[in-house]
Amino acid sequence: MSADVDDRPVADPSSPDPMPDNSLGGILRAYLTRLKGGEVGSLPAVLGLIALVVVFSTLRPEQFTNSFNFANLIGQSAGVTVLAMGLVFVLLLGEIDLSAGFAGGACAGVLGVCLTRQEWPLIPALLAALLTGAVIGLLIGLLVARLGIPSFVVTLAAFLGLQGVLLTMIGEGGTIPYRNDFINGLNNANLPLWLGWGLGIMCIVGYAASTYVTDARRRAKNLTVQPILLWVLKTGLLTVVVLAVVGYLSVERSRNPALTSLKGVPVSLVVIVGLLIVLTFMLTRTAWGRHVYAVGGNAEAARRAGINVFRVRLSCFILCSTMAAVAGIMIASRTNSVNPNTGGETTLLYAVGAAVIGGTSLFGGKGRVIDAVIGGTVVAVIDNGMGLLDQPQGTVWMVTGLVLLVAASVDALSRRRASATGHV
């Protein structure tokens, strides 16, 4: 009896790979495959944000969804969001910075002393505050990266020390008022309508052009590139979101327009978007950014590949504390003054929670700057919505803590899933 012969065609190893399915169905199948492999990204945070908005809009439709509350929510979350952006870079290394909140408060205190007490010009006072943040990050980075002291211990010591510095600088129970329109307007003023629309359109055109050119260059070099249809969908979604936000914020939201007019995009939103663009470019379009991911993923492998691990870790701590300085100024701008509690209380906890809720991994090597923006929005919506429901602060903290725990669990489970399927 003759043996069966396998007459199936044999693939030619020299033939090119089959063309990827660039249809809408193919894009969805590829995305679902990544999800099954543990690459969930910011999807849980986005779905949670949508659910929270629906719940609060249903329970408090007239209060939660009006443009005044929308603009107020942006101002409330600005400081925490900016602080979370800086923390993303430290978390990418698998480290932590517990001092970031009071580092921002101390820098805001330096700005207040220079502007109000010493009557310095604006620019030198701002530079002094930012330089203070950079020096704090430099000292922390040297202790962690050079001496090998755990970041938890170093930043906990800095947390206590900077709290004392801020208290000594301002005085117990004291405040330093900001008497500068530019500083006070960072988290209180609004752009003229024409400028808000102009910047919104610039964002859309800039994103569409930059991503299209990048894809064209990669396609010319036969590198992997996203399908044109996916680019169209992303650009279209961004266009809808930007135009909707600018349009909603451009309507009159003052309860007494004859006395005070409130309309236009808040300056704080421009600060957040500007920082998002710059930091995302640094993290995704530069060699330094690729080194940050490499060190966070496997420091020893990065060192053997020739990456200066010490410099990468040091630079991330410097950047984190410098961003903390910006966040401290934004927080102080909200109240037009700095006090011993600026950057304290729940500021740091909310910032760390925002980064993790948005999708940045606590294990290092995975995260994006936009994760901080998404997570910061989730935390702000919880705080704002629960306040509108007249819930006690204890309930707000319990709900926020539960959301953070769920986000950390999703991170751990997705990481385990990615490891099991070979996607790491």
Side-chain angles (χ1 to χ4, degrees):
M1 190 171 182
S2 61
D4 294 335
V5 177
D6 189 355
D7 57 356
R8 291 176 298 178
V10 179
D12 182 5
S14 63
S15 63
D17 294 334
M19 293 295 292
D21 187 355
N22 292 333
S23 65
L24 181 60
I27 294 173
L28 290 175
R29 284 191 292 272
Y31 182 65
L32 290 175
T33 300
R34 292 197 299 271
L35 289 180
K36 292 178 181 179
E39 299 180 29
V40 295
S42 298
L43 180 62
V46 173
L47 295 178
L49 178 60
I50 294 174
L52 288 170
V53 170
V54 171
V55 169
F56 291 134
S57 298
T58 302
L59 297 178
R60 288 290 186 273
E62 296 181 359
Q63 295 172 292
F64 182 77
T65 58
N66 64 58
S67 58
F68 178 84
N69 187 61
F70 184 39
N72 185 54
L73 190 147
I74 295 173
Q76 287 178 335
S77 64
V80 169
T81 300
V82 172
L83 188 61
M85 286 181 176
L87 285 167
V88 165
F89 290 85
V90 173
L91 293 174
L92 280 173
L93 301 177
E95 304 285 358
I96 190 67
D97 187 351
L98 301 177
S99 68
F102 275 116
C107 295
V110 169
L111 178 63
V113 169
C114 293
L115 271 181
T116 304
R117 294 182 179 174
Q118 303 298 325
E119 298 182 349
W120 284 19
L122 174 62
I123 300 301
L126 268 176
L127 290 177
L130 295 176
L131 182 60
T132 300
V135 170
I136 292 172
L138 174 64
L139 295 176
I140 294 173
L142 286 174
L143 292 173
V144 174
R146 180 63 76 187
L147 297 184
I149 305 175
S151 59
F152 181 89
V153 176
V154 174
T155 57
L156 178 59
F159 169 86
L160 297 172
L162 291 171
Q163 188 174 8
V165 169
L166 181 59
L167 183 60
T168 302
M169 190 185 308
I170 298 175
E172 191 167 350
T175 60
I176 301 178
Y178 285 165
R179 300 191 180 97
N180 184 280
D181 292 338
F182 176 82
I183 296 298
N184 291 335
L186 286 175
N187 208 0
N188 293 291
N190 302 304
L191 296 178
L193 295 183
W194 65 270
L195 184 55
W197 282 107
L199 290 177
I201 294 173
M202 285 178 58
C203 285
I204 296 170
V205 174
Y207 172 83
S210 63
T211 51
Y212 184 83
V213 170
T214 299
D215 288 350
R217 289 175 178 174
R218 292 181 61 86
R219 192 176 292 109
K221 297 178 181 179
N222 292 323
L223 298 176
T224 304
V225 65
Q226 65 178 345
I228 291 291
L229 178 58
L230 183 57
W231 174 83
V232 172
L233 293 174
K234 288 182 177 180
T235 304
L237 178 61
L238 179 67
T239 301
V240 171
V241 171
V242 170
L243 294 182
V245 169
V246 174
Y248 199 48
L249 291 172
S250 296
V251 301
E252 181 63 63
R253 52 183 182 267
S254 175
R255 295 171 184 174
N256 191 353
L259 181 63
T260 303
S261 179
L262 288 176
K263 56 184 177 181
V265 175
V267 175
S268 56
L269 181 58
V270 178
V271 173
I272 292 173
V273 173
L275 290 172
L276 174 63
I277 294 172
V278 172
L279 296 177
T280 299
F281 178 85
M282 292 173 58
L283 199 54
T284 60
R285 301 294 182 89
T286 66
W288 175 83
R290 292 189 290 273
H291 292 171
V292 171
Y293 281 112
V295 172
N298 190 321
E300 182 58 31
R303 182 180 292 106
R304 293 183 179 182
I307 296 174
N308 192 322
V309 175
F310 167 72
R311 289 184 181 178
V312 171
R313 298 178 74 189
L314 182 64
S315 62
C316 284
F317 278 101
I318 293 174
L319 179 58
C320 178
S321 293
T322 304
M323 288 295 296
V326 179
I329 295 170
M330 295 293 291
I331 294 171
S333 170
R334 186 69 177 172
T335 59
N336 298 338
S337 64
V338 58
N339 60 69
N341 289 323
T342 300
E345 298 179 338
T346 59
T347 302
L348 174 70
L349 302 179
Y350 276 1
V352 175
V356 175
I357 289 171
T360 300
S361 175
L362 287 168
F363 302 99
K366 187 181 74 173
R368 302 171 300 167
V369 181
I370 197 172
D371 294 344
V373 179
I374 296 173
T377 305
V378 171
V379 172
V381 167
I382 293 173
D383 194 48
N384 181 272
M386 297 291 281
L388 293 177
L389 294 176
D390 297 323
Q391 294 297 313
Q393 190 61 46
T395 303
V396 177
W397 288 341
M398 285 189 286
V399 172
T400 307
L402 179 61
V403 172
L404 174 58
L405 181 60
V406 170
S409 301
V410 170
D411 175 35
L413 292 174
S414 64
R415 191 176 183 86
R416 180 180 300 178
R417 177 67 176 174
S419 178
T421 56
H423 281 73
V424 293

